Amino acid sequence: MLNKERINKFSYLILNYQSDRMTLNLIQNIRSFDDESQILVVENSKNNEFLKHNLSSQANIDLIETGRNLGYAGGNNAGLKYLSSKTGTDFVFVCNPDIRLTKLSIDKMKEVIIENENISLLGSQIHDSEGKVQPGAWDSRTLVQDLYGDFSTLRFIFSEKNKTRDPVSLPDLEKFEVISGAFFLARLKSLEKVNFFDERTFLFCEERILAKRLDLIQAERYILNTVNCLHQGSAIIKKNYSSRRHRHLLLLKSRLVYYKYYSNKINFLIYFLSTPFSFFEKVLIDLVTSVVGEFKK
């Protein structure tokens, strides 16, 4: 059982960008079982009067604005640095607005990270609104896997059924290289030591780069298979970046950061040379989709 002093060392960080209602719903969700912990909302733009009005009267909730859309890494870094310098937070739940949490999961995650000082990041099982399992953690992808994944046609032709794991046979704690950025619990000092997320990325690859940084200080990452959260899954990204080619361009730029700074020159060159082809494929897919849509009208 966690004592009051320990409980006050936990905070929640919610990154908001054009998702005000989701953010307010998540805050209401958290407050339904935790009315003491600090919640920090990072507005990844400026002058959000709607959120200011709705949060101004609520206790233990801070709102900061970045001034412009800094993406996942830059926006979360603004919040993490705020918590690091201005609060007594030791542990932070990093949350996308489009998730839902339970008291049982939060309490269990708090207990596990306190009891295991070797854990720097702790994730959970993640399910969508239909109960389907989403990746909550994974091991780093190879260059071949990234190249294959960039081409929708290859994935369609050589598609394989997603392998599901029997939850009964899973260990309570399972070590992984990469923890999903949708929701995780972090030891703030570990993130401080690696200078948080790499802000050269935008919406993609932040988790795998953070894993590389944490490897430098031998900071371990685990998933707790006995708890879960509900996640709508890329709802915000698809809402704000509806074009397939726009989303893919952001992905390519972030992966180039990964291969340039966290891999080797040969891998970077190979990936760099492949990017025009996968982008052109997405342009063609968008064009065909648009033509078909007009034809059906």
Side-chain angles (χ1 to χ4, degrees), residues 90-105:
D90 289 332
F91 307 96
V92 55
F93 288 99
V94 178
C95 310
N96 277 7
D98 56 347
I99 65 168
R100 291 296 175 271
L101 306 170
T102 66
K103 183 180 188 307
L104 178 63
S105 295

Side-chain angles (χ1 to χ4, degrees), residues 46-75:
K46 61 181 180 179
N47 300 327
N48 190 326
E49 298 299 328
F50 177 79
L51 272 187
K52 288 178 183 177
H53 173 74
N54 280 274
L55 298 180
S56 60
S57 61
Q58 299 191 45
N60 296 329
I61 297 182
D62 292 336
L63 172 67
I64 63 174
E65 296 175 325
T66 61
R68 62 186 178 89
N69 185 5
L70 302 178
Y72 178 94

Side-chain angles (χ1 to χ4, degrees), residues 288-297:
V288 171
T289 302
S290 177
V291 171
V292 171
E294 289 296 323
F295 181 77
K296 289 182 177 180
K297 288 182 179 180

Side-chain angles (χ1 to χ4, degrees), residues 5-124:
E5 181 180 355
R6 282 290 196 179
I7 290 175
N8 291 337
K9 296 297 184 180
F10 288 85
S11 295
Y12 298 84
L13 169 59
I14 305 171
L15 181 63
N16 183 78
Y17 180 71
Q18 298 185 5
S19 52
D20 298 350
R21 289 296 180 187
M22 288 183 179
T23 294
L24 292 175
N25 288 339
L26 177 57
I27 291 172
Q28 185 179 27
N29 169 218
I30 293 170
R31 284 297 184 239
S32 69
F33 59 80
D34 184 349
D35 57 5
E36 294 186 348
S37 297
Q38 179 187 23
I39 297 176
L40 173 63
V41 177
V42 176
E43 171 54 43
N44 215 4
S45 63
K46 61 181 180 179
N47 300 327
N48 190 326
E49 298 299 328
F50 177 79
L51 272 187
K52 288 178 183 177
H53 173 74
N54 280 274
L55 298 180
S56 60
S57 61
Q58 299 191 45
N60 296 329
I61 297 182
D62 292 336
L63 172 67
I64 63 174
E65 296 175 325
T66 61
R68 62 186 178 89
N69 185 5
L70 302 178
Y72 178 94
N76 275 310
N77 276 0
L80 292 167
K81 291 173 182 178
Y82 178 92
L83 292 172
S84 177
S85 63
K86 299 183 182 299
T87 70
T89 296
D90 289 332
F91 307 96
V92 55
F93 288 99
V94 178
C95 310
N96 277 7
D98 56 347
I99 65 168
R100 291 296 175 271
L101 306 170
T102 66
K103 183 180 188 307
L104 178 63
S105 295
I106 293 299
D107 287 349
K108 185 63 177 177
M109 292 178 74
K110 288 179 178 180
E111 291 177 5
V112 168
I113 203 167
I114 286 177
E115 293 171 355
N116 297 271
E117 295 184 359
N118 61 310
I119 297 179
S120 293
L121 259 62
L122 182 64
S124 74

